[in-house]
Amino acid sequence: QVQLVESGGGLVQAGDSLRLSCAASGRTFSNTVMGWFRQAPGKEREFVARITWSPGTPYYADSVKGRFTISRDNAKNTGYLQMNSLKPEDTAVYYCASAGVPTIIQQVYHNWGQGTQVTVSS
């Protein structure tokens, strides 16, 4: 089992940037797909981005495409989500998760972090 811990969230203004990190421990992280999801207040959790383990092919939700960049450092067992040009509608708790196959379906992800809050003020 992989344990995941997110960090890097915070309160920023619209247009600012944040980089979230997802540190993995336990079983090897390098041969899994890493995904980022988010849940805004009163809304269901939604897919944000995912990246395969090697060569690290990314895939993004349309709502973040061009603004967010997902990456991973398998040697450090850490994944990242660089978020630029943040908007108030990006406000949510952000979760990283791991899966055995590349998918946007959150039910397929079997390991989840505890989440980190991102708040974007207008």
Side-chain angles (χ1 to χ4, degrees):
Q1 179 133 357
V2 176
Q3 289 79 45
L4 304 173
V5 178
E6 303 95 335
S7 62
L11 171 63
V12 296
Q13 293 186 332
D16 285 350
S17 299
L18 274 177
R19 188 176 81 156
L20 306 183
S21 297
C22 175
S25 61
R27 286 184 59 188
T28 181
F29 177 64
S30 62
N31 60 350
T32 65
V33 175
M34 183 189 74
W36 285 95
F37 296 80
R38 66 185 182 186
Q39 186 167 22
K43 295 187 178 181
E44 294 187 353
R45 189 163 57 188
E46 64 177 4
F47 168 79
V48 174
R50 61 106 170 120
I51 187 168
T52 56
W53 74 279
S54 181
T57 304
Y59 182 81
Y60 301 95
D62 288 343
S63 59
V64 306
K65 198 174 298 182
R67 299 187 298 122
F68 290 12
T69 302
I70 188 172
S71 62
R72 65 191 297 166
D73 185 335
N74 290 333
K76 295 182 178 180
N77 274 353
T78 302
Y80 305 96
L81 185 67
Q82 177 68 43
M83 306 185 295
N84 298 330
S85 302
L86 282 162
K87 305 175 181 179
E89 50 263 44
D90 294 318
T91 295
V93 177
Y94 283 72
Y95 300 89
C96 68
S98 65
V101 294
T103 179
I104 68 171
I105 302 173
Q106 55 184 293
Q107 287 81 359
V108 178
Y109 287 79
H110 41 77
N111 294 300
W112 291 82
Q114 82 291 348
T116 185
Q117 176 71 46
V118 172
T119 303
V120 185
S121 64
S122 58

